[in-house]
Amino acid sequence: MFMPMSQTVPLSFPHPERLTRALSTCFNFQRNVLAWESIDRFDPRVCQRHALLHRSVEGVIEVREVDQLQVRDMENGERDDTTSGNPGHMDSLLCDTLHGSMHDRDNSPMMRAVFRSPVCKVYRFQTESSRWMLVREQMSDSPLTSSLPKQLLSCYIQEDRRRIQELRDLGDLSPHWEVLRSDVIAHYSHLISTYKETLTELNKLTGSSASFKSSCNKTDRHLEFIPVNLHTQRMQVTCPRTTAWYDVVTVGAPSDHYQGFKHGGLQRLLNKPDSDKKSSPVYRSIFYSSDQSSRAREILSSVTQLQPLISGLAEELLQAALEVSPQRVQETLTKLAHRTEQMVHALKDELVKSALLALHKARPAYLLSDEHAHATHSNGPGHQPLSTNQDGLYSSLRRQDSLPQHSTYNEDEWDRVWANVAMSLNCIIAMVDRLQKKENRKQELTSQTRNDVLITPADPSPWHEHLLPLVITLRECVCEAVDRARSAMTFVLLQGAATQASQGLAVTHRRDAVFSQALCAVVCGFALRIYAGVEDKPFLLQLCEVGLVAQFEGLLSTYGDEIGMLEDMEVGVSDLKRISFRITEAKSEQPADLLPTVSGQRGGFCVEVPLPSETYLLLPGELRDGRGLRVHPLLFNIGINQQQSLAERFGDSSLQERINQRSCEMLKSYYSTLREKLPNLTLPSSLSQSTVDDLLTSLDQSLEMKKRKNVEVLWLAASICRRLNGIRLTSCKSAKDRTSMSVTLEQCTLLREEHTLNAELFNKALDCMRSFRLQQGQILGCWAPHREGGGLRSGCMGDQKPTTVPARHFYPVALLLVTSHLLVIWLILSMVVLMGNYQ
């Protein structure tokens, strides 16, 4: 006789006395029958004295009591787990391994700092070979939920202040551009004021309120930058001699619920037809595309970051020359050459050259010369005299699609500016080579005669004297080039900022908020992956050479407001290409010193992930030198609810198809680059015989089928991501029902495909895992535990009463099972009822 659901006792650890009472109650009700219970707040100290657990549905999970756990090494174990004749032996063996791995990995200072408030569940499942495997799920909140948005807001405020100063440094502009500059400065000032207010409110968050935002607060104005229901979920599978970990980050779709979706999402707002844009008064003389504006941000960010690095390395080179340290001089020169080459590469961009020409055309002096030229040829055929309109704008500034040309402007001047930087570096390299040869000859003569005296640090240093003027020249050339490039890129961004100012603060604010939500999720995923793979040399090599795949799985429909959410999410995920990760050494093992930090500006952010000293020293030299690690964000979306049925029947799903096809191409490109750079890299293995090439082919074919609610696309994309050492993120509107249904289905499928879960028990295990989450008071698997004390958690879904658990996979609503004819009839009847109500 099974214990009724209503009589199960939720356990909260670490409280040994509560565990004792709960287990006593359980065994008094059914001592010799299979029960349904799981450990919440798993504490290894408790498991050494009490039963590990657990519930069973027809043999899936079994209740047993373990008197005391003995530590054993499963890797060296020679006994067969099915032949010992002592069922308790296998329980103890599995639990020992679980206890050890949990203590080593999940209880490390890094994990405790970044992932907090863990909630654990443990299950025991039977495999095809009638053996047992232990499955442990752990969900955690993260303080990054609020700490990263606060850092981002500070970066935005600093950047906008710099933009205002850079705009003022552009000098005199024509009346048209002067009006635009004033509007943009007012736009940035308003953003700064708004962001400072938001930052003040976020700084007031403390305790659990600072690590979690429930779906009930998704429209809160001051919480726009915080992701909804962000959790990290880890499934650990322990079998004899093997242990595997599967991580996934669940989060509400990065989107701006506060502003709403009346006019669509970011993708629609940012990609208005060019004809509409060019008709705006902003584009009277020049038109820069959104890609050019993005490129301008990248160049501006690059030269801004590189200039102080080059200056510092130049000073270090002079110091090494003063000490006559040839080895140190050579090492510093190598770094200086690398940074200077990066600078030259950025300066050579054609956008810089064309923007300098456009800036020249925007000067009042150019307009006066142009006016004089028109007046000189006033007797020409078809000429109209120069005049100004009511806005004070010169009518000579005609709209055109390409940049204007002017014969008096020397277009080769900029080429000489950036070429001077390269030539200055070459002069330094040549001088160091000559000095090195002289030093070598001197050492040869010294070794032969044994009478010559080597130069001491007290002697005048010929190295320093020869290098000093060359280094000064390099600095001057870099400063001149950076000043001009900064002015040119600021002018490019002036047009884009003027467009945003004409649209109001909505677009900029929305994009910043959506990016913040996406960044929090991907940083949590990166932290999970780097902590798990810190000793995995092939993975670290892949990370350095190619970067990391971040695969977002979306479950949004292409109907109603969720179209706007998907448009927001597409842009937010795409903007993650602008970030890079850098691993640093933590100052201490205090939680505050182990939290990732973000710096930079909209053109490019850098996220530093600190590791404790002992762990940091295990990394390869490239990572310890501060090498930037790239992220390759991908988004695959398949709508699976009843709204998607309406969209596919009567709407348009082209947005979803375009997103999936583009991500598939990016995934294939990443894999091709990986195989090209690291042909001998060993990727994670799988029990299935399918290679990554086979999976990519299947994904391509699945996308071409145009099948409705084709969830196979999600499974194939997730499988490829895991095989490529990527990070997985799953999202729906609020990361509750659809997200949890997807995660539990993925987990049980992994148990079946990779760990030979008994196929007959698959559906029962799936229902068991989902039902337990519902029993804990979470609607359809939302893991966020109810906590007393209010804050952002007050009023969350965990406070509501549970509803009926869906029985199978992705379809929680019975309406999806009706035929298309009944669905049409239902729509017609609904319309008749509505019309009757209006009458």
Side-chain angles (χ1 to χ4, degrees), residues 317 333 336 419-435 466-467 469-471 473-474 477:
L317 180 68
L333 182 60
L336 178 62
N420 286 339
V421 177
M423 287 189 291
S424 300
L425 175 66
N426 291 335
C427 290
I428 294 176
I429 294 175
M431 178 59 69
V432 170
D433 288 341
R434 288 198 296 269
L435 293 173
H466 286 87
L467 289 178
L470 299 179
V471 169
T473 302
L474 174 64
C477 292

Side-chain angles (χ1 to χ4, degrees), residues 11 135 303 374 433 607 797:
L11 306 181
V135 178
V303 297
H374 278 276
D433 288 341
V607 180
M797 297 301 289

Side-chain angles (χ1 to χ4, degrees), residues 497-539:
T499 306
Q500 295 174 2
S502 65
Q503 296 174 347
L505 300 174
V507 175
T508 305
H509 194 157
R510 189 184 198 103
R511 191 169 190 174
D512 289 345
V514 171
F515 174 76
S516 174
Q517 297 177 28
L519 179 67
C520 291
V522 82
V523 171
C524 286
F526 180 86
L528 272 176
R529 190 65 189 88
I530 199 67
Y531 294 167
V534 71
E535 298 180 8
D536 187 348
K537 293 184 179 180
F539 164 68

